[in-house]
Every structure is written in structure tokens, then in C-alpha cells.
């Protein structure tokens, strides 16, 4: 399959919505509504019972549309899907998303047979199918949205460089809403559903060459074509980081998966081994999935496993040290030369070791000078900074100045030093952390989450080095180089 075929799922020039309902409480209405709110391509509602939906001329069958159609989105009851698929084939449509539920996930003879028919028809006409039992795709860059959720009750994220592939539609959508609130941009979202045809391997093979995608994230339950998946992962991870949240770790979880998407989840230990072998960064929850994705999308990978901790509060420094060490990172002692340089610029009461504790009396310049010295020391590979914005000597200017020091030092270094932050606090802290993040330094509400984000940068850097692609990756990672 060529990547051109898959690309039509993300960049179609025209979309038909089969089952575009006139009833606002139905899936087919909301889907059409969401689609036409931002998408600028041609849209054709298909419904044999009406002549117009949401102000657009409706056609009784897809075969009656006079123009070419790149993508058909099907939202009719399961029993009608095969005949609609036949029509799509006759019309020459090559890309189909089947939103409808009621197939393999039911575990019934009819459900399994219905899904088999979809595959058979797709093969007959050379069509590619996402679904059934899915939400389809969301591509903010072109306003393409085939999901059917109520936009009055959720937000959709802006365009960004993280792509998210989800086997669960509902979880995927909740993540989109959350990402919008968190200010995380999305390149492509795909809900794969039952994966009767297009699966995560197809997505990896496409996204590895997608210029808009810097980091690939996935929520998966079961992968049926293990060998192919491993091959796709192996060719993707030396080029782009892949972060996966794999559900069904317990026996009970595996049972729950069978009734959700009908996938065979298999033993978790097998996935774990495969992920390690392929350089996948495994997340154990939604926070971790996006914490790691965010650091990888904003910061360059680290060239080693040594962490420098720069803090305004001693306790946080200790907790960050514990968190980093428990993840297998090193928190090295700094050399006498570096300690000496730090002493020269910090308050006498500061602790110039690692963690470097500038103390609650610190002013902006103490943090700025310290990060500069630590980054240039050659003794740490990644920095976790822990500002307390409520300290009396800290002003709002720290946000812009800190981002600017990190950027300018990294421009001078042959290999940039990634920086992530942890700022625990309330609304003022959140506001300032958000501003830091807008400047390209990811900020987390706890030191443990920041440590995991730093770990992802170290681990991925180590993987790139083992594959000989560290320098290639860095040169493509324009932001900090
Ligand atoms: N071609 C075009 N339109 C047709 C056809 C046809 N052959 N047959 C019927 N229609 C029209 C209907 O007339 C109706 O329009 P109307 O309301 O204006 O009359 C529209 O298509 C929808 O058909 P209905 O029979 O009303 O079907 P309904 O909307 O009730 O349900 C649906 C269809 C939404 C596909 C449902 O069967 C379903 O699968 N729902 C679940 C969807 C889902 O959850 N998917 C997974 C998401 S991922 C997750 O995890 C949540």
C-alpha cells in the first residue's frame, strides 16, 4: 500500500457523509456539523430521505454524486454498511471510515460476519478502511473532523506536532478535549476502532514520513499482526519517538478488551519485551503518555543519562533526585570547577552541588546564571528546573528570561541540553508555567512527572545513539539547534 492511499484519510479533497441525518440528536447529523465547521474541501451528505442537510444538497446514494469523492464516512446501522460499501466501491472511493458499531466487538456471528463482508468488499474494490466502530480522524491543520461529539461540551486542540492513534474512540476524544485545555497541539488523531483493515502498523508507516508529526503516541489494546507491528516500530523509532500506552496488563483487563474492540490482547510481558526491543517508550497512564510526548515534542533528546537539578526549594530537589534515580537516571556530583563557578554567582547560603539549590531568597539572576553554568558544564545531559514562582525575589520576567537563556546557550553548544521543569502550585504557578511552556520548555505539576519526561529524553537519546541516528534527529529538530 502506498502512503498516498493513507494520506487521503488525512488530506481528502472531498468527503461524503453516508447517513448524514437531519436529526440533531443523531450521530450522522453531529458528524456532518463538526466536519463542515472548519473543513474547506467539498462535502456531500448522503441520505435517501432528504434533499438537504445543514444547508448542503443531499444525495440519495453516493453513486449519485456527480464529482469524485476521496473519503467516505459511513454512519448507518451495521446491517446497511455492506451495501453502502458496495456503492462506495462502484463510485471509485478508495478511502472509507466506518463509524458504525455492531460488528466484531459484539462477539456475535452476525457481527463477525458483517465485519468479514466489509473486508471482502474493500478488497474487491481496492479500498482502505478505518474502523468499524470508530471515531475516524481529526486533522486540525485542514479542519478535517469526522468525530461526532458535541462541540458545545468539548474542545478540539489546535494544530501541533504530536500525532495520536487510539484504539478507543471515547478515550481518544477525551484526550483531545484534555489536550485542548492543556494547550497541547495535535497533528493527526486517528481512532482505529476494530481495525478490520487499517491498523497501527499502517499508521506508523505513514506517520514516519509525515512532516507535520514530530512524536507518535498510541493507545493500544491488542495488536494482531505482531511481526508486522515490530517491523514498523523498528523502522519508525530511529526516526521519530513512539510513546505507547498499552492497556490490558491484567488478566481481567484482557477480558475487558475482548468485549470492547474484540482484540486478542495477549500476555503483557510479550508487549513489554517487544517495546524494549523496538525502542518504544512505554507509558503506564494518560499523564505519562502526554508528559513524555510533550517533552519529546518540545525539547531535543539528551545525549546521556546524567540529570542536573536546579531548584528554589531543597525538598523538591531531594524528591526530584529520588524520582530520577528510581528511573535509572544519574544525578552526578558536579566538579569542583563547576561548583566554584556556581559559588561565584549564587548567594552564600545557596547549595552549589547537584541538586543546585538557589534557596527561597534567590532572585531571577541566580536561576539564570545557574542554568547557564550547568548547561555549559558538560557534566549533565538534561536539566530539571524547579522554580517557585511565589518566592519573594522571583518576578514574572523570569519566564521570558529563562526561556531565552536556555535557547541562546543551546545555540552555542554543539549538542543542546534539554530542559524540563516542575512547578508545583496553584493558579499563579499554572499561569507562569503555561507561559514557560509556550516558550518551548515543558512544565509539569510534580517533580516525579518532570523526572519521567526527562527520562524519556534520555532514553530516546540513548536509543538514537544505539541506532546511529542521534545527529540526524538533532539536525531535523530545528527548535533548539
Ligand atoms: N444511505 C444513506 N443514509 C441512510 C441510509 C443509506 N443507505 N439508510 C439510512 N440512512 C439515513 C437515515 O435515514 C438516517 O437519517 P435521518 O435521521 O435523517 O432519517 C441516517 O441515515 C441514520 O440512520 P438511522 O437508521 O437513523 O441510524 P442511527 O443514526 O440511529 O444509527 C449509527 C446509526 C450511529 C451508525 C449507529 O448504528 C451506531 O453504530 N452507533 C454507535 C456509533 C459508535 O459509537 N461508533 C464507535 C465510536 S468509538 C467509541 O468508542 C465510542
Amino acid at each position: 500500500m502506498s502512503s498516498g492511499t493513507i494520506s487521503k484519510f488525512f488530506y481528502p479533497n472531498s468527503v461524503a457523509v453516508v447517513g448524514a441525518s437531519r436529526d440533531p440528536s443523531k450521530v450522522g447529523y453531529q458528524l456532518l456539523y463538526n466536519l463542515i465547521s472548519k473543513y474547506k474541501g467539498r462535502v456531500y451528505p448522503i441520505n435517501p430521505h432528504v434533499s438537504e442537510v445543514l444547508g448542503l444538497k443531499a444525495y440519495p446514494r453516493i453513486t449519485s454524486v456527480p464529482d469524485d469523492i476521496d473519503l467516505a464516512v459511513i454512519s448507518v446501522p451495521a446491517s446497511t454498511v455492506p451495501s453502502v460499501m458496495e456503492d462506495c466501491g462502484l463510485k471509485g472511493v478508495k478511502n472509507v471510515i466506518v463509524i458504525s458499531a455492531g460488528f466484531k466487538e459484539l462477539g456475535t456471528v452476525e457481527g463477525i460476519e458483517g465485519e468479514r463482508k466489509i473486508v471482502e468488499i474493500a478488497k474487491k474494490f481496492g479500498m482502505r478502511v478505518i474502523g468499524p466502530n470508530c471515531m475516524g480522524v481529526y486533522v486540525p491543520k485542514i479542519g478535517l473532523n469526522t468525530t461526532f461529539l458535541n462541540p458545545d461540551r468539548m474542545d478540539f486542540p489546535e494544530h501541533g506536532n504530536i500525532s495520536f492513534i487510539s484504539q478507543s474512540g471515547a478515550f481518544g476524544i477525551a484526550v483531545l478535549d484534555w489536550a485542548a485545555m492543556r494547550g497541547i497541539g495535535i497533528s493527526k488523531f486517528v481512532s482505529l476502532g476494530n481495525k478490520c483493515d487499517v491498523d497501527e502498523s499502517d499508521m506508523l508507516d505513514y506517520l514516519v514520513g509525515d512532516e507535520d508529526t514530530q512524536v507518535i503516541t498510541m493507545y493500544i489494546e491488542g495488536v494482531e499482526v505482531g511481526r508486522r507491528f515490530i517491523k514498523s516500530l523498528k523502522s519508525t523509532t530511529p526516526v521519530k519517538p513512539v510513546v505507547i500506552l498499552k492497556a490490558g496488563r491484567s488478566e481481567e483487563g484482557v477480558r475487558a478488551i475482548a468485549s470492547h474492540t474484540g482484540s486478542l490482547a495477549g500476555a503483557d510481558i510479550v508487549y513489554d519485551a517487544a517495546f524494549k526491543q523496538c525502542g518504544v517508550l512505554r507509558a503506564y497512564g494518560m499523564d505519562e503518555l502526554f508528559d513524555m510526548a510533550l517533552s519529546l515534542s518540545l525539547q531535543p533528546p539528551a545525549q546521556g543519562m546524567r540529570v542536573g537539578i536546579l531548584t528554589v526549594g531543597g525538598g523538591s530537589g531531594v524528591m526530584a533526585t529520588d524520582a530520577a534515580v528510581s528511573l535509572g537516571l544519574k544525578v552526578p556530583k558536579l566538579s569542583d570547577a563547576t561548583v566554584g563557578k556556581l559559588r561565584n554567582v549564587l548567594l552564600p547560603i545557596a547549595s552549589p552541588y547537584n541538586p543546585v539549590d538557589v534557596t527561597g531568597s534567590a532572585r531571577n539572576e541566580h536561576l539564570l546564571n545557574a542554568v547557564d553554568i550547568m548547561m555549559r558544564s558538560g557534566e549533565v545531559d538534561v536539566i530539571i528546573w524547579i522554580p517557585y514562582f511565589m518566592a519573594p525575589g522571583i518576578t514574572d520576567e523570569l519566564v521570558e528570561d529563562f526561556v531565552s537563556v536556555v535557547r541562546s546557550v543551546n545555540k552555542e553548544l554543539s549538542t543542546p541540553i534539554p530542559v524540563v521543569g516542575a512547578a508545583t502550585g496553584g493558579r499563579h504557578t499554572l499561569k507562569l508555567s503555561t507561559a514557560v511552556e509556550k516558550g518551548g520548555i515543558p512544565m509539569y505539576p510534580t517533580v516525579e512527572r518532570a523526572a519521567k519526561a526527562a527520562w524519556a529524553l534520555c532514553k530516546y537519546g540513548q536509543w538514537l545513539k544505539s541506532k546511529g541516528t542521534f545527529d540526524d534527529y538533532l539536525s531535523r529538530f530545528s527548535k533548539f539547534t
Side-chain angles (χ1 to χ4, degrees):
M1 175 206 48
S2 73
S3 62
T5 322
I6 289 290
S7 91
K8 287 286 183 213
F9 281 116
F10 302 120
Y11 299 109
N13 292 318
S14 52
V15 182
V17 177
V18 187
S21 169
R22 66 210 126 154
D23 177 347
S25 70
K26 286 190 184 174
V27 166
Y29 175 95
Q30 198 62 60
L31 193 162
L32 182 68
Y33 181 90
N34 286 349
L35 179 64
I36 62 175
S37 346
K38 297 230 167 101
Y39 177 65
K40 296 283 176 271
R42 289 173 279 127
V43 176
Y44 302 97
I46 314 294
N47 185 330
H49 306 112
V50 292
S51 57
E52 193 185 290
V53 191
L54 280 162
L56 293 174
K57 175 176 165 52
Y59 295 83
R61 285 174 67 177
I62 198 165
T63 45
S64 2
V65 177
D67 307 311
D68 286 349
I69 290 166
D70 285 341
L71 173 65
V73 186
I74 301 177
S75 173
V76 293
S79 57
T80 319
V81 171
S83 66
V84 169
M85 286 282 298
E86 281 280 345
D87 270 8
C88 290
L90 293 172
K91 175 68 187 160
V93 179
K94 294 293 175 211
N95 293 62
V96 178
I97 294 173
V98 183
I99 302 290
S100 319
F103 294 93
K104 190 177 77 178
E105 80 281 3
L106 294 182
T108 61
V109 174
E110 297 78 37
I112 293 166
E113 178 56 16
E115 196 156 316
R116 195 197 57 75
K117 272 191 199 147
I118 293 180
V119 176
E120 186 180 277
I121 299 163
K123 277 198 181 136
K124 183 165 90 180
F125 291 101
M127 296 187 275
R128 298 306 311 254
V129 183
I130 291 181
N133 186 28
C134 74
M135 290 277 182
V137 299
Y138 173 63
V139 186
K141 192 177 185 182
I142 61 155
L144 182 69
N145 185 350
T146 73
T147 73
F148 56 81
L149 278 303
N150 184 344
D152 294 336
R153 303 223 193 101
M154 71 167 287
D155 295 312
F156 288 93
E158 302 282 314
H159 173 66
N161 63 3
I162 299 174
S163 282
F164 178 42
I165 313 302
S166 179
Q167 200 168 343
S168 162
F171 174 64
I173 290 297
V175 165
L176 287 188
D177 190 16
W178 168 86
M181 183 187 71
R182 177 75 174 71
I184 294 177
I186 294 289
S187 170
K188 288 162 189 74
F189 163 74
V190 188
S191 150
L192 290 173
N194 293 7
K195 300 186 292 187
C196 79
D197 174 31
V198 171
D199 63 12
E200 40 292 282
S201 302
D202 294 309
M203 286 300 131
L204 286 169
D205 295 348
Y206 175 78
L207 292 173
V208 69
D210 176 37
E211 282 184 3
D212 288 333
T213 299
Q214 171 73 30
V215 181
I216 301 168
T217 57
M218 287 190 176
Y219 166 80
I220 61 172
E221 294 182 350
V223 180
E224 274 132 57
V225 270
R227 211 169 288 166
R228 173 146 183 252
F229 187 46
I230 285 176
K231 187 165 172 272
S232 298
L233 284 173
K234 278 189 171 166
S235 49
T236 306
T237 55
V239 184
K240 292 178 185 186
V242 178
V243 192
I244 298 184
L245 171 56
K246 158 79 180 74
R249 284 189 280 144
S250 61
E251 241 176 73
E252 292 82 352
V254 169
R255 203 172 57 228
I257 284 172
S259 60
H260 177 214
T261 47
S263 291
L264 297 169
D268 191 66
I269 194 167
V270 176
Y271 285 94
D272 214 45
F275 290 165
K276 283 198 180 105
Q277 189 197 338
C278 299
V280 168
L281 299 163
R282 183 167 186 176
Y284 290 94
M286 184 182 114
D287 286 342
E288 272 193 14
L289 183 69
F290 280 90
D291 285 351
M292 291 196 271
L294 194 66
S295 66
L296 289 157
S297 81
L298 294 176
Q299 290 285 301
Q303 57 179 330
M305 305 296 272
R306 300 167 304 171
V307 185
I309 297 169
L310 170 60
T311 182
V312 172
S316 298
V318 176
M319 287 191 287
T321 305
D322 281 347
V325 170
S326 72
L327 289 165
L329 300 174
K330 295 186 174 63
V331 184
K333 282 186 184 160
L334 299 175
S335 67
D336 290 348
T338 301
V339 167
K341 283 182 193 165
L342 286 165
R343 266 197 215 291
N344 285 341
V345 297
L346 298 182
L347 294 167
I349 51 167
S351 177
Y353 309 102
N354 193 16
V356 174
D357 178 3
V358 294
T359 81
S361 297
R363 296 185 302 277
N364 293 6
E365 69 262 27
H366 296 122
L367 281 161
L368 300 175
N369 289 331
V371 77
D372 187 307
I373 291 168
M374 290 170 82
M375 288 174 79
R376 291 179 200 275
S377 70
E379 294 168 32
V380 296
D381 304 304
V382 61
I383 289 175
I384 301 175
W385 83 301
I386 310 165
Y388 276 88
F389 294 113
M390 53 288 256
I394 302 292
T395 67
D396 286 4
E397 281 70 42
L398 178 65
V399 168
E400 216 183 306
D401 292 347
F402 192 85
V403 167
S404 142
V405 167
V406 169
R407 269 179 197 277
S408 58
V409 174
N410 268 338
K411 278 203 181 104
E412 290 171 35
L413 295 176
S414 56
T415 306
I417 302 292
V419 180
V420 304
T424 304
R427 63 196 163 90
H428 298 288
T429 295
L430 188 63
K431 192 178 113 201
L432 292 166
S433 290
T434 305
V436 174
E437 204 161 273
K438 283 217 164 74
I441 296 176
M443 297 294 291
Y444 303 93
T446 65
V447 290
E448 290 78 14
R449 286 174 63 176
K452 189 71 194 230
W455 173 87
L457 293 166
C458 296
K459 203 73 188 159
Y460 189 56
Q462 201 179 41
W463 177 256
L464 291 173
K465 290 217 157 194
S466 75
K467 295 287 136 191
T469 52
F470 187 87
D471 291 338
D472 279 359
Y473 183 85
L474 261 194
S475 63
R476 277 184 287 111
F477 196 96
S478 54
K479 255 192 186 127
F480 284 81
T481 50

